[in-house]
Amino acid sequence: MGRYAAMVSGPAGSGKSTFCTALITHAQSIGRNVHLFNLDPAAERFEYEPSIDIKELITLEDVMEEMRLGPNGGLIYCFEYLLDNLDWLEDQLGQFDDDYIIIDCPGQIELYTHFPIMSRLISVLQQQFNFRICACYLLESQFMDDKTKYFAGVLSAMSAMINLEVPHLNLMSKMDLVAKGETGDAIQTGRRREMERYFDPDPLLLVDEVNSKTNPRFHALNQAVVQLIEDFSMVSFMPLDVTDEDSVGSVLSHIDNALQYGEDEEPKEPKDMDMGDFEE
């Protein structure tokens, strides 16, 4: 078998750690051997104890104190330090040869959208440590209530896809909260149909709604932004409800497909059959 890693990224508060927990819980329930890799040097609490933790190498708190850096500069320093100490990373990863690694990343989206830090780390994992990697980018579903935020989220997802250059899955997270407080199957069904147009967005159909809420001076900019999204036509979303095991299972199956999980397994010998079963 190969080595597989799902890199979970996205803005702060989008539900990355909660998704990692749900993904690990579901994977373990179906007999998968999965491990958590905490890649956030500022993370403090975990539902599952990380098998690999960058904080054992370096912490953001120490960097900010000793180097007199702010949170963003300190985070960049932490990743540069990690890339300068690949022997530590190799030692940590060496004990997980045929396992599935879930990588919980920080919430600073600039790491994925325009800084080369994460793309360099991905190259190391692929080329030196022989991992197949799929990136999962989470965007909070409540962004749909504000179309301008939604377009900003789509652009950030597109930028991450271009920057990371690995199989990519965009997830609309916290779907369990979208219909919270609503009652009745008809209402929830209608709300669901309303949400579906955001999963595979047609920005040209949404620009009028954005223009109605923004100053006319920005209408030309809005049009340029949605045209950019339309021209690239890269971004689509899967709904994610971490409280629904079927939803988590569906996401995991898409990750498996992107990673070609299990395709390196040796074919199994067929069981001996009693030829008498075929006799009349």
Side-chain angles (χ1 to χ4, degrees):
M1 290 181 63
R3 309 178 82 185
Y4 307 92
M7 179 172 284
V8 180
S9 60
S14 58
K16 295 184 296 298
S17 295
T18 303
F19 170 57
C20 289
T21 298
L23 199 60
I24 293 172
T25 299
H26 178 77
Q28 290 183 344
S29 72
I30 58 176
R32 292 279 191 86
N33 196 18
V34 295
H35 303 275
L36 178 64
F37 180 177
N38 172 47
L39 200 57
D40 185 353
E44 295 182 351
R45 293 183 295 274
F46 308 95
E47 291 293 328
Y48 288 96
E49 189 67 23
S51 299
I52 307 172
D53 192 348
I54 191 176
K55 293 179 69 176
E56 295 180 1
L57 176 69
I58 190 169
T59 69
L60 181 60
E61 182 180 4
D62 290 342
V63 169
M64 292 174 60
E65 181 179 345
E66 296 177 14
M67 306 299 295
R68 299 181 182 274
L69 294 171
N72 289 338
L75 194 61
I76 297 296
Y77 182 93
C78 289
F79 278 92
E80 292 281 4
Y81 189 82
L82 173 64
L83 291 170
D84 288 337
N85 290 271
L86 292 178
D87 54 339
W88 177 85
L89 184 59
E90 182 178 14
D91 182 65
Q92 295 294 310
L93 292 172
Q95 54 189 314
F96 304 113
D97 282 335
D98 291 326
D99 297 339
Y100 210 106
I101 307 294
I102 308 298
I103 305 176
D104 191 359
C105 299
Q108 283 77 3
I109 63 171
E110 59 267 24
L111 293 172
Y112 326 110
T113 58
H114 58 277
F115 277 118
I117 294 291
M118 296 303 290
S119 57
R120 287 170 55 194
L121 178 59
I122 285 174
S123 294
V124 168
L125 292 173
Q126 289 177 321
Q127 298 173 15
Q128 293 187 222
F129 303 137
N130 299 316
F131 273 91
R132 293 181 183 177
I133 299 176
C134 174
C136 299
Y137 191 89
L138 274 64
L139 185 67
E140 189 175 345
S141 58
Q142 295 180 75
F143 269 42
M144 293 183 297
D145 293 330
D146 187 332
K147 305 301 185 297
T148 54
K149 284 185 179 180
Y150 174 72
F151 283 132
V154 171
L155 286 174
S156 69
M158 181 189 300
S159 183
M161 294 172 74
I162 294 171
N163 189 43
L164 299 181
E165 295 185 316
V166 292
H168 202 102
L169 193 64
N170 295 306
L171 304 175
M172 193 71 73
S173 64
K174 302 186 180 181
M175 292 298 294
D176 53 308
L177 302 181
V178 172
K180 189 175 183 180
E182 297 178 351
T183 57
D185 291 340
I187 294 176
Q188 293 188 7
T189 299
R191 179 61 170 157
R192 175 73 181 195
R193 289 175 180 170
E194 169 70 15
M195 291 186 297
E196 286 178 355
R197 67 175 178 151
Y198 296 98
F199 297 153
D200 191 7
D202 186 343
L204 298 178
L205 296 179
L206 299 174
V207 66
D208 289 339
E209 296 180 48
V210 176
N211 285 343
S212 69
K213 297 180 181 180
T214 56
N215 191 298
R217 293 182 302 171
F218 299 110
H219 289 183
L221 176 61
N222 293 340
Q223 184 65 40
V225 168
V226 299
Q227 191 63 55
L228 175 67
I229 296 172
E230 175 71 13
D231 290 345
F232 275 84
S233 190
M234 296 173 59
V235 180
S236 61
F237 292 94
M238 277 192 67
L240 171 63
D241 179 354
V242 295
T243 67
D244 182 352
E245 189 170 348
D246 289 339
S247 176
V248 177
S250 177
V251 171
L252 180 59
S253 69
H254 278 75
I255 296 173
D256 288 346
N257 184 60
L259 292 173
Q260 297 181 311
Y261 176 76
E263 292 193 6
D264 291 335
E265 290 188 31
E266 293 294 331
K268 295 181 179 179
E269 291 290 336
K271 295 181 179 179
D272 292 335
M273 294 184 292
D274 185 355
M275 296 305 295
D277 294 339
F278 297 94
E279 296 178 359
E280 295 184 358

